[in-house]
Amino acid sequence: MRKRIAIIGSGFSGLSAAAYAAKEGHDVHVFEKNSIPGGRARQFKTDNGYTFDMGPSWYWMPDMINAFFNDFGYEATDFYKLVKLDPQFEMIFADGRLNIPSAYSDLKTLCEDIEPGAGEKLEAFMNAARYKYEVGMRQFVQKPCHSWWEFVTPQIAASAVKLDLLSNFRSYVKRYFKHPWLVALMEFPVIFLGASPKKIPALYSLMNYGGYVLGTWYPMGGFYELVLAMQRIAESEGASFHFNQPVEEICTNKGKVTGLIVKGEELAFDAVIASSDYHHTETLLDAPLRNYREDYWESRTFAPSSLIYYLGFNEPIPNLKHHTLFLEHDFDGHIDDIYTDKKWPGQPLFYACCPSKTDPSVAPTGHENLFLLMPLAPGLEDNVAMREKYFREMITRIEKATGVTNLVSKIDYKHSYCVNDFIGDYNAYKGNAYGLANTLAQTAVLKPAIRNKQLSNLFYAGQLTVPGPGVPPSLISGKIAATAVNNLKSFRFEKTF
């Protein structure tokens, strides 16, 4: 039976939920506080010709992204052109630099050159990672995680040992590799999972397979092309989008959501999927109807926030790749500053994305588009002086790596984004950028629940619930929430907007 469904937020999980719910024939309405869809994956254009993706820039796990399109009878390439990057990225260390080749066979050769025997070790590592990827991404993350009983199946039980759920990522990687460059190569993807490699389950070696073996890609026009494609699919299925429409309150009666208050007007709905920040969503409810109290959120381990700079340069920057990791300082030192000491980093690592190396459309002819990102602890005091201090350090290190002097004089566009902006634009708890950490204590059923325990028709999606942070998990989260709504056995009424 047709239901009238509201979705709060149009990030990847909200777009996914909208598409899947509309596909079932429901009357779906998406409410977005900002002026365009995408959430953290928004895009903006400048008056002087630059196009900046605001958030995700690593197009990994292309098969999982394509699975969304397949569910609607499409391929991702029906909507945008994908380019496989070669090299995938560059890593800059204090004692040298490493280009990661696109071809897996070349990566094996590179590892062997760095550490004798590491080529075969890489093969063993990736064979195990592939198994984790197949089981983890195609089975584990598809579960709604209402109960541990969902995981009690013969196949999953047989996989338990191979999944290395109880091994930590640091010790697991060091079973295979000794050279610090190769250890860093394997460990760097987990920094955005929200904890030290010493606390992340070895299960997440699946990310290494999803990136290094399946490749690092780029959608021409920018990552926002994925957002626009998903919006087109949702709209083609019948979903309606309402921008500049912040939700002010979730209305309830007798154990059910009855509607939303948007700009002072009450709108009736049969069910709600909140893809907005989970903590913020709960503040739209009376306290007794919330799943979690404030002390619960205080006790959680969050993935990082970020200091981001969007920069335009009036000439090309040589010796810079599409993706570059600046790892000249101690990895654990920065990790401890984020997760243990929770302070601005003393010796930061950072990431630079220069999409104009691949895509001329994102910068004026002869210019360069550069995105800088430095992970940092959520909840830090954020001010212009602190942002500029780290901006100067990042620019200095880029100058050293590229051999270009006085880069600041070549900037013709500059904009920063940090903790306060994540809070203001996305109502992000403590300005987090990537949701909850994927520690063992915050995995599966131990994550915030996808359904409200007091209200039978309120569901949650996004990076603070299952399956977790990242683009492919967010697509899956929206699908899980939409499936839960589709499976509702009863609802109030049918009514058009």
Side-chain angles (χ1 to χ4, degrees), residues 155-450:
Q155 186 173 7
I156 291 178
S159 304
V161 174
K162 290 184 178 180
L163 292 175
D164 288 297
L165 288 168
L166 300 180
S167 301
N168 75 71
F169 199 84
R170 168 66 54 80
S171 63
Y172 181 76
V173 167
K174 289 193 172 182
R175 291 184 209 167
Y176 294 88
F177 308 104
K178 304 302 179 188
H179 195 285
W181 288 11
L182 298 184
V183 172
L185 173 64
M186 294 302 155
E187 287 189 345
F188 111 81
V190 306
I191 190 172
F192 298 108
L193 293 178
S196 163
K198 293 178 286 189
K199 294 185 178 180
I200 292 288
L203 166 69
Y204 289 103
S205 63
L206 63 86
M207 293 184 63
N208 300 91
Y209 177 81
Y212 302 161
V213 178
L214 299 185
T216 301
W217 301 77
Y218 174 79
M220 296 298 285
F223 216 99
Y224 197 63
E225 293 299 311
L226 174 56
V227 172
L228 295 177
M230 293 181 69
Q231 181 189 11
R232 283 177 60 189
I233 287 176
E235 289 179 329
S236 71
E237 296 290 345
S240 299
F241 286 78
H242 310 276
F243 298 109
N244 298 308
Q245 300 288 312
V247 174
E248 298 160 354
E249 184 180 338
I250 299 174
C251 306
T252 65
N253 184 44
K254 296 179 180 179
K256 286 188 176 183
V257 169
T258 58
L260 304 176
I261 293 181
V262 181
K263 288 194 170 181
E265 181 182 1
E266 183 172 351
L267 306 173
F269 290 98
D270 295 307
V272 171
I273 298 173
S275 75
S276 46
D277 178 271
Y278 200 126
H279 172 269
H280 170 72
T281 300
E282 298 248 280
T283 68
L284 304 178
L285 295 164
D286 292 337
L289 300 177
R290 299 171 189 172
N291 273 353
Y292 305 101
R293 301 188 313 184
E294 196 66 25
D295 56 357
Y296 169 86
W297 296 107
E298 287 289 340
S299 71
R300 298 301 89 187
T301 301
F302 277 81
S305 184
S306 295
L307 169 61
I308 300 171
Y309 270 90
Y310 308 99
L311 304 170
F313 292 85
N314 60 18
E315 63 181 53
I317 303 174
N319 305 315
L320 193 63
K321 302 297 188 293
H322 187 124
H323 295 301
T324 308
L325 303 171
F326 286 80
L327 307 175
E328 307 99 312
H329 299 311
D330 178 58
F331 190 86
D332 285 342
H334 192 163
I335 290 289
D336 288 343
D337 287 341
I338 295 173
Y339 304 117
T340 303
D341 302 326
K342 299 180 180 179
K343 65 178 184 180
W344 284 86
Q347 292 187 308
L349 314 177
F350 72 97
Y351 156 63
C353 178
C354 191
S356 48
K357 295 295 185 187
T358 303
D359 186 354
S361 74
V362 300
T365 302
H367 291 226
E368 207 82 282
N369 174 318
L370 189 62
F371 166 103
L372 305 180
L373 184 149
M374 184 184 79
L376 70 162
L380 294 179
E381 181 180 354
D382 171 20
N383 56 62
V384 173
M386 191 62 77
R387 296 185 189 194
E388 284 296 297
K389 170 188 173 182
Y390 287 96
F391 168 73
R392 290 190 294 272
E393 175 167 345
M394 289 188 284
I395 287 293
T396 298
R397 286 160 65 180
I398 293 171
E399 288 178 336
K400 181 179 179 181
T402 61
V404 178
T405 59
N406 202 17
L407 269 175
V408 172
S409 69
K410 307 176 193 305
I411 293 174
D412 61 0
Y413 183 81
K414 177 183 175 185
H415 178 66
S416 65
Y417 202 93
C418 199
V419 173
N420 292 344
D421 301 296
F422 281 103
I423 294 172
D425 285 353
Y426 311 122
N427 298 305
Y429 182 74
K430 293 188 175 181
N432 81 85
Y434 303 100
L436 281 180
N438 274 338
T439 60
L440 189 59
Q442 295 179 167
T443 295
V445 177
L446 302 178
K447 288 186 182 293
I450 70 157

Side-chain angles (χ1 to χ4, degrees), residues 45-116:
K45 298 179 185 291
T46 69
D47 292 339
N48 58 341
Y50 293 98
T51 299
F52 291 99
D53 284 326
M54 295 185 69
S57 56
W58 291 83
Y59 198 105
W60 274 6
M61 303 185 184
D63 58 327
M64 300 308 300
I65 294 175
N66 201 47
F68 167 83
F69 292 99
N70 291 165
D71 283 346
F72 297 89
Y74 298 105
E75 301 290 329
T77 50
D78 292 332
F79 295 89
Y80 47 82
K81 179 182 178 182
L82 276 176
V83 175
K84 194 174 188 182
L85 301 183
D86 189 12
Q88 299 190 50
F89 55 93
E90 183 171 42
M91 306 176 80
I92 295 180
F93 301 99
D95 54 349
R97 56 208 302 164
L98 192 62
N99 281 292
I100 308 306
S102 175
Y104 178 60
S105 59
D106 292 340
L107 179 58
K108 284 181 64 177
T109 301
L110 177 65
C111 290
E112 186 67 29
D113 290 343
I114 294 170
E115 179 183 310

